[in-house]
């Protein structure tokens, strides 16, 4: 069973994503900050990190870089509801920093499952 870590400062988003992934038979748990995500990735094996870009204190891009620098080998899927970093969309920037896939919020359950499956080169489950 693949383990997915959901990182989002919005409690409702964490709850919905965790329920959606559990329904698809993933082992999913959630944290509210980039700092917590880095700690979890250092402490245990995580297959996929579903990472929000816009978070207070440590944003998703900073978290992505820190995970890539030695907090595990999880595949990262960056997600964002919008905004810009200068002239570049944050999801484009996340891809350049090593995110395997990106998702624009809001996204469907099937888009989520497809993104996770694509990070492993597998067919997405149909739920």
């Amino acid at each position: 069973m693949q383990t997915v870590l959901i990182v989002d400062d919005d409690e409702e988003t964490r709850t919905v994503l965790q329920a959606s992934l559990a329904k698809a038979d993933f082992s999913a748990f959630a944290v509210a900050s980039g700092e917590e995500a880095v700690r979890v990735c250092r402490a245990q094996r995580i297959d996929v990190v579903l990472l929000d870009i816009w978070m207070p204190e440590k944003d998703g891009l900073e978290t992505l870089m820190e995970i890539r620098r030695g907090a595990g080998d999880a595949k990262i899927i960056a997600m964002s509801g919008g905004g810009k970093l200068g002239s570049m969309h944050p999801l484009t920037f996340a891809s350049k920093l090593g995110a395997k896939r990106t998702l624009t919020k809001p996204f469907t359950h099937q888009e989520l499952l497809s993104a996770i499956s694509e990070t492993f080169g597998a067919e997405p489950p149909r739920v």
Side-chain angles (χ1 to χ4, degrees):
M1 182 179 291
Q2 294 170 334
T3 302
V4 180
L5 174 62
I6 301 156
V7 186
D8 199 304
D9 60 312
D10 182 74
E11 183 177 359
E12 183 177 349
T13 299
R14 290 192 310 269
T15 301
V16 168
L17 290 174
Q18 192 167 10
S20 182
L21 290 169
K23 180 179 168 184
D25 291 327
F26 287 99
S27 173
F29 59 102
V31 297
S33 73
E35 279 299 326
E36 289 177 281
V38 171
R39 274 196 301 276
V40 168
C41 286
R42 284 188 175 135
Q44 63 191 62
R45 183 181 164 275
I46 302 294
D47 296 304
V48 175
V49 177
L50 188 58
L51 180 62
D52 186 33
I53 296 298
W54 300 116
M55 295 185 294
E57 296 171 35
K58 182 183 285 224
D59 68 33
L61 296 173
E62 191 177 357
T63 303
L64 189 157
M65 289 186 293
E66 194 164 340
I67 291 171
R68 295 274 53 91
R69 280 193 306 260
D73 59 357
K75 293 173 178 25
I76 297 174
I77 299 172
M79 58 182 179
S80 176
K84 278 196 161 190
L85 293 169
S87 63
M88 189 180 292
H89 191 281
L91 293 177
T92 302
F93 200 48
S95 291
K96 291 182 182 298
L97 292 173
K100 295 292 183 190
R101 286 277 281 121
T102 61
L103 288 168
T104 301
K105 292 177 181 176
F107 47 83
T108 67
H109 175 72
Q110 194 58 48
E111 288 170 325
L112 173 62
L113 296 182
S114 292
I116 291 172
S117 295
E118 287 172 22
T119 64
F120 294 103
E123 286 294 315
R126 298 272 175 202
V127 178

